[in-house]
Amino acid sequence: MTQGSAPQGAEHEDPRRRIPRTDALLALPAVERARASLGETVIRGIVRAAQDRARAGEITPEQVEDAVLGAIGDHPAASMRPVLNATGVIVHTNLGRAPLSAPARAALQDAAGYTDVELDLMTGARSRRGAGARAALLAACPAAEDALVVNNGAAALLLATTALAAGREVVWSRGEIVEIGAGFRLADLVSSAGARVREVGTTNRTHAADYTAACEDGQVGALMKVHTSNYRIEGFTSEVGVAELAGIAHEHGLPLIADLGSGLLRPESVLPGEPDATAALESGADVVITSGDKLLGGPQAGILLGTAATIARLARHPLARAVRADKLALAALEATLTGPVPPVLAALRTDPAALRRRTEALAARIGGELVAHDGRVGGGGGAEVPLPGWAIALEPELAPALRTGEPAVVGVLSQGRLLLDLRCVPEDQEDAIVVAVDAVREPR
Ligand SMILES: *Cc1c(COP(=O)(O)O)cnc(C)c1O
């Protein structure tokens, strides 16, 4: 490559002429082996980058081979790296929400190849997509007559409002028209579905009569009940519960959509204020929407549970095809529901005394101080509910190196200290924290 630009017949050999040729680098045994995990474009890019560094004088031509081998060795198949979540925030949106249970991880792996997602192997005929996940949902939530799994909670809301209320109004309390993070406003989504948001009531108080009045004028497609999963209004407040709202909806021949967000299928004693799908359905909601990767503890998914007639209406809508769940999510969701308590619920139900013992023991190993620290549910519900617990306080200077280390350890910076909360750290990963902290404390 460089030959053409090298000065002809130069007396002093240009060092760049000693840069190993592309074909020689590509033929290195380690590079050959890397072809099992890296594509040709990536490998050639790594080779070119090392040659360019030598041309720029950053490394010598003799160092090019090592640079290629090093870069190939460090190159992960995907750039997302595993993180030890030492924040105490269970459903951490920036860290990928719910970590999957062991059976869910195995199911993902099994479904990664060809799989009978839409084929009945007994008869050889086409079958209903995701029948296993549907059956697991109905077993976990018998109050639902039918279930449909889509891409995520937002997609579920889009599908429900499009199928039930496009071109008409969705009656919705002003106190429940929420933004759920990163500027994502539920009302904007519903408007984009072609339904008109009809705000009723006020920020703090909405009454049954507000909904009834809206239903009288004949423009309405559905009533909406949204769980304000990330904030709470306190004081002089009133809202209309699902049961009463369902009564108003059905009196006017309308469906009630209940968006719970959090993903609890049944009541959870640690979060007594958190609504659950079973209660909402038993109270008369026609369709309940929850996310798969919040408190349910599964993969990203939007779960629609409801009456047979309503779910059939949604499943028939053309948009259902655009928002359908992929086979990996269906497999992981089923395994989450049929498996043992998933990591999210285990973290939620952590016994503070046990957490204290773990934290004290690890603090003794890495040399930090034990401090009280409340965990949080995070973006999945249970707004503002503190989960009493403990953390290890370390020097704040360690934070960047721990974050960028191997494995990456993400804690919380609070009052001039770095706190490591073990609530969401698997017990078998504690040694990895010791190694990570030792590595960053060592002067390099
Ligand atoms: C999280 C949430 C959603 C969106 O669900 P995603 O799975 O993140 O798309 C919708 N509604 C409520 C009330 C939520 O809490």
Side-chain angles (χ1 to χ4, degrees), residues 148-154 156 289-292 300-304:
L148 181 67
V149 183
V150 295
N151 177 61
N152 62 3
I289 293 169
T290 65
S291 295
Q300 177 185 306
I303 294 164
L304 296 138

Side-chain angles (χ1 to χ4, degrees), residues 93 97 151-157 178 180 184 186 189 226-230 259-262 289-294 300-302 379-381:
T93 300
R97 290 195 179 160
N151 177 61
N152 62 3
L157 190 61
V178 290
I180 60 168
F184 175 56
L186 294 184
L189 183 79
V226 174
H227 174 51
T228 58
S229 51
N230 55 3
D259 178 7
L260 306 185
S262 73
I289 293 169
T290 65
S291 295
D293 55 354
K294 293 179 178 173
Q300 177 185 306

Side-chain angles (χ1 to χ4, degrees), residues 196-398:
R196 293 186 302 280
V197 173
R198 169 95 175 251
E199 287 186 27
V200 295
T202 60
T203 306
N204 57 329
R205 286 171 74 84
T206 302
H207 309 290
D210 297 320
Y211 291 96
T212 309
C215 286
E216 309 283 70
D217 64 15
Q219 296 271 303
V220 177
L223 270 64
M224 177 79 88
K225 177 78 186 166
V226 174
H227 174 51
T228 58
S229 51
N230 55 3
Y231 80 105
R232 240 180 14 207
I233 298 182
E234 277 174 82
F236 185 55
T237 63
S238 85
E239 62 174 305
V240 183
V242 172
E244 195 176 357
L245 217 44
I248 297 168
H250 298 161
E251 233 168 75
H252 295 85
L254 295 167
L256 171 64
I257 304 169
D259 178 7
L260 306 185
S262 73
L264 284 184
L265 299 183
R266 279 175 294 228
E268 169 61 47
S269 59
V270 182
L271 298 174
E274 194 68 20
D276 65 276
T278 300
L281 289 165
E282 283 174 349
S283 299
D286 297 271
V287 57
V288 169
I289 293 169
T290 65
S291 295
D293 55 354
K294 293 179 178 173
L295 292 174
L296 193 80
Q300 177 185 306
I303 294 164
L304 296 138
L305 298 159
T307 62
T310 310
I311 297 295
R313 216 170 135 188
L314 305 189
R316 269 200 313 270
H317 194 279
L319 189 61
R321 179 63 172 75
V323 296
R324 77 175 188 184
D326 83 313
K327 62 177 180 175
L328 300 179
L330 291 169
L333 179 64
E334 180 181 354
T336 302
L337 290 164
T338 56
V341 174
V344 161
L345 286 184
L348 183 67
R349 297 173 185 159
T350 297
D351 167 27
L355 183 58
R356 180 178 180 142
R357 283 193 295 277
R358 274 183 74 192
T359 310
E360 263 173 342
L362 191 66
R365 295 173 70 191
I366 62 176
E369 187 195 337
L370 179 81
V371 295
H373 182 247
D374 289 341
R376 297 274 164 187
V377 174
E384 307 306 312
V385 178
L387 305 170
W390 303 91
I392 302 169
L394 297 173
E395 318 80 285
E397 295 76 23
L398 299 182

Side-chain angles (χ1 to χ4, degrees), residues 32-53:
E32 282 291 350
R33 282 196 299 279
R35 291 202 159 84
S37 54
L38 294 178
E40 201 56 31
T41 315
V42 171
I43 291 180
R44 284 181 178 266
I46 288 172
V47 164
R48 202 176 317 114
Q51 291 169 325
D52 286 347
R53 288 178 65 201

